[in-house]
Amino acid sequence: MSKQFELLQPPSDGISKLRFHPTDDTKLLVSSWDQQVRLYDAQQNQLVASHHDHCAAVLDTVFGSNGAFSGGLDRRVLAWENYSHTREIGCHDGEISALEYVSSGNMLLSGSWDCTLRAWDSRAQGGAAQIAKLDVEERIYSMSARETLLAVALAGRKILIYDTRKLDAPIEVRESSLKFPTRCVKLMPSSLGFVCSSVEGRVSVEYLNGATKSNYAFKCHRQPAEDNVDLVYPVNAVAFHPVHHTFVTGGSDGAVSLWDPDNKKRLKHYQGYPTSISALDFNASGNMLAVASSYTYEEGEKDHPPDSIWIKPMTENEARPKAKKN
């Protein structure tokens, strides 16, 4: 099997998000605190394009139909058209923390610390772009879209589930079973539920109304310390394998774990990354996993390794769940 490798020309400051293209296995988008958005060819290990048109840290980026979108601390939503030039689609009253793109309606969704969820027609010019603005109770921390579903994780541990065809009100409102703030929410490929992770080394697997499976939660990304006390790390990132529907988690312990949600088992544990895992994503075929190793400041200002992006080849069987026992 090929060994994992480090991408050349990584961001110079904190990596906030990694996104593989939904159909092109090689295109990888990266947003970062150095105010840039970068597009890599992950297979050729090449920086293809970048833009520096934000005035502050970029917290999220997502592919669109003919380019990409980005948002962050400057409160602006930018479209990066054909990876050549940018234009402003709109703005929030607070920092933009999360973006998702719904291809069926050419709709961009943005979540913000201004306690609003907004929908934009990605093709419209100027003020006509905003097609919906929804007030929510708390700041939005994380979002995940799949087909017609959208999951929105709020600061107060609530998870809102929307049907993107009718955004006027959530179809489900959940209180996360985790007792500490949510770091990441990710819808299952089956759309039957979602996985969310918290700052306190736990992950919950939760099913939507009508599903026949039971919710559960488990501890992870912890290291034994003295006096039988665990050192607990935030779980910053979650990504589902597109074929086998297993998922990976990345923590501030610098490790990545691969989980089988049906059998409730850890399948693999990948250690040795230089610092915190801030972002993860599988490519469309599931044969590559991108891992961002980027200090997330849970221990405050201190010397830390430089930011890096690792491409880990995945074999056909590596992410496959184990056969169920009778």
Side-chain angles (χ1 to χ4, degrees), residues 30 66 76 104 118 125 151 201 203 213 222 231 267 270:
V30 180
N66 62 348
R76 297 185 303 145
S104 58
R118 304 190 193 208
Q125 303 287 333
V203 167
K213 296 180 179 179
R222 297 168 178 233
L231 201 53
L267 300 174
Y270 309 111

Side-chain angles (χ1 to χ4, degrees), residues 22 42 66 69 77 85 96 122 148 159 195 226 261:
N66 62 348
F69 304 96
V77 181
H85 61 278
I96 297 166
S122 62
T148 58
I159 309 285
V195 166
E226 296 177 1

Side-chain angles (χ1 to χ4, degrees), residues 117-140:
L117 167 66
R118 304 190 193 208
W120 313 86
D121 180 344
S122 62
R123 301 160 299 183
Q125 303 287 333
Q130 183 171 296
I131 52 179
K133 176 187 173 186
L134 304 172
D135 294 316
V136 295
E137 291 177 28
E138 295 266 9
R139 290 166 295 159
I140 293 174

Side-chain angles (χ1 to χ4, degrees), residues 33 54-59 71-76 94-96 113:
W33 281 72
H54 282 284
C55 308
V58 189
L59 299 188
L73 298 189
D74 67 2
R75 305 180 176 187
R76 297 185 303 145
E95 293 75 3
I96 297 166
W113 296 343

Side-chain angles (χ1 to χ4, degrees), residues 34-46:
D34 62 6
Q35 305 178 16
Q36 292 199 47
V37 180
R38 293 169 171 85
L39 176 69
Y40 293 91
D41 183 320
Q43 195 164 324
Q44 299 296 325
N45 197 350
Q46 182 180 6

Side-chain angles (χ1 to χ4, degrees), residues 58-200:
V58 189
L59 299 188
D60 204 353
T61 185
V62 65
F63 282 101
S65 57
N66 62 348
F69 304 96
S70 52
L73 298 189
D74 67 2
R75 305 180 176 187
R76 297 185 303 145
V77 181
L78 295 186
W80 189 16
E81 297 182 327
N82 298 310
Y83 317 112
S84 63
H85 61 278
T86 63
R87 67 178 174 91
E88 185 174 319
I89 284 187
C91 60
H92 276 262
D93 300 322
E95 293 75 3
I96 297 166
S97 55
L99 296 172
E100 289 292 332
Y101 181 71
V102 181
S103 58
S104 58
N106 292 295
M107 182 167 60
L108 179 71
L109 298 158
S110 59
S112 171
W113 296 343
D114 67 7
C115 304
T116 68
L117 167 66
R118 304 190 193 208
W120 313 86
D121 180 344
S122 62
R123 301 160 299 183
Q125 303 287 333
Q130 183 171 296
I131 52 179
K133 176 187 173 186
L134 304 172
D135 294 316
V136 295
E137 291 177 28
E138 295 266 9
R139 290 166 295 159
I140 293 174
Y141 275 6
S142 176
M143 300 199 310
S144 175
R146 194 176 289 276
E147 296 177 348
T148 58
L149 285 182
L150 173 72
V152 179
L154 305 183
R157 293 174 41 234
K158 270 191 179 168
I159 309 285
L160 311 178
I161 307 295
Y162 289 91
D163 183 332
T164 57
R165 297 165 298 186
K166 196 173 184 294
L167 280 170
D168 53 344
I171 56 174
E172 280 194 44
V173 178
R174 293 285 187 92
E175 187 88 12
S176 168
S177 63
L178 306 177
K179 296 176 183 174
F180 289 82
T182 303
R183 267 289 165 92
C184 182
V185 65
K186 198 67 71 173
L187 284 164
M188 297 173 182
S190 64
S191 298
L192 291 177
F194 58 88
V195 166
C196 64
S197 66
S198 83
V199 299
E200 188 253 346

